[in-house]
Amino acid sequence: MTISIADLATLRARHPEAVAEAAARRVRRPLIGDSGRLMIVAADHPARGALGVGDHRLAMANRADLLERLCVALSRPGVDGVLATADILDDLLLLGVLDDKVVMGSMNRGGLAGAVFEMDDRFTGHRAQDIARLRFDAGKLLLRINYDDPGSLTTLESTARAVDDMAALQLPLFVEPFISRRVDGRVRSDLSAEAVTRSIAIASGLGGTSAYTWLKLPVTHDPDDMAEVLETSTLPAVLLGGEVGDDQEGAYEKWRKAAAADRAGSGRGQVAALSVFGQCGDGRGHGGGAAVNRVNGRLAVNRGREGVVVNRDSEDTAVNRGNEGTAVNRVNTGPTVNAAETESAVNRSDTDPAVNTGDNRSAVNRSDRP
């Protein structure tokens, strides 16, 4: 059965059992594919009341819009799956877009953004048994440690028990640790190399076993510090992308440098960006599309509204500035640029660019020369 987003409320009201049925028939995949990388769309922010993107305080409030963007992102090459709370994952199950995707349940959303109890990240989301029952692939929890807040001890203990519960069911758990404190009444995370190092050491030691524990780590203020920071633990890790903000180029460059630093440092080769693509873009109407880089450290940039940019080569950049088109670069040295509204620019040659600057046509270069 194929349904639309508009059908969800009626289906939920008349057939609540449809969620469990959709979960039971979902086609699963391994957590890590042949590439050894993992890119997940994070969409668990609304459950903490964190609905803003940039200057738009309610950018993620429209559920139909959020679901549409998630569906677009999940359809893109290189996007492995989604992290969300039960309400969003149930919708995506009913829409049938989670086959062959990694599905992560968000476990603790009790620390509402801006609340006096924000640092009290209680477990209000998926439990370990829910993740197992629904045949999801992993769980994720937020661990914010405030040395000035006695309540952080409760958070640490609850996190350790969640690690135990997930390990008992042989389910991976992604722990997202921060050293945080209040500054002028607002929670701020310390992204210095020392603070991130300390948070890794604390998170890695929680629970009776770390066999199923992953780390979901922020990039340090200086991304060149990441190689040394990642030496704190042997646990597998993903890098937190987070909100791009106004300086998109700066954010992309920071993530690229962090990934490159890890390759040079730890040598594990399992660190990839885990970012908030597909929920509401950059807050200026540019969103919904994924920028995916599956190569050796160069950047794929998407400036469009719904297009995908895929760069699978060793050195260069694929750039999409259109609204819906795809820019694909599968070569060794040359760029592919799509500045059109709807179509694709494809370069499969060895050295030269394929450029499409029209409105409705494709520019294709499959030769060795322009």
Side-chain angles (χ1 to χ4, degrees), residues 28-33 36-42 44 80-84 101-109 123 126 128 131 136-144 158-160 162-167 170-178 199-200 203-204 206 209-218 235-241 268 270-275:
R28 300 180 66 180
R29 52 154 278 179
L31 180 66
I32 301 296
R37 297 174 181 269
L38 189 64
M39 177 172 280
I40 303 294
V41 180
D44 60 344
D80 294 293
V82 61
L83 157 66
K101 296 296 180 182
V102 173
V103 181
M104 294 186 185
S106 188
M107 302 179 74
N108 62 334
R109 300 281 80 188
F123 285 75
H126 288 100
I131 294 171
F136 292 163
D137 304 294
K140 171 259 179 181
L141 62 82
L142 175 62
L143 174 62
R144 292 183 288 187
S158 299
T159 299
V163 170
D164 291 339
D165 292 343
M166 291 290 284
Q170 299 183 342
L171 288 168
L173 176 59
F174 287 70
V175 179
E176 182 180 351
F178 292 95
S199 72
I200 293 173
S204 298
L206 294 174
T209 178
S210 63
Y212 293 91
T213 303
W214 283 62
L215 298 173
K216 179 172 177 273
L217 301 174
L235 299 184
V238 293
L239 297 184
L240 171 65
R268 289 175 299 178
Q270 293 186 1
V271 176
L274 192 154
S275 202

Side-chain angles (χ1 to χ4, degrees), residues 186-208:
R186 301 186 66 180
V187 176
R188 292 286 184 261
S189 296
D190 187 345
L191 299 184
S192 67
E194 180 178 347
V196 176
T197 296
R198 198 175 301 277
S199 72
I200 293 173
I202 294 169
S204 298
L206 294 174

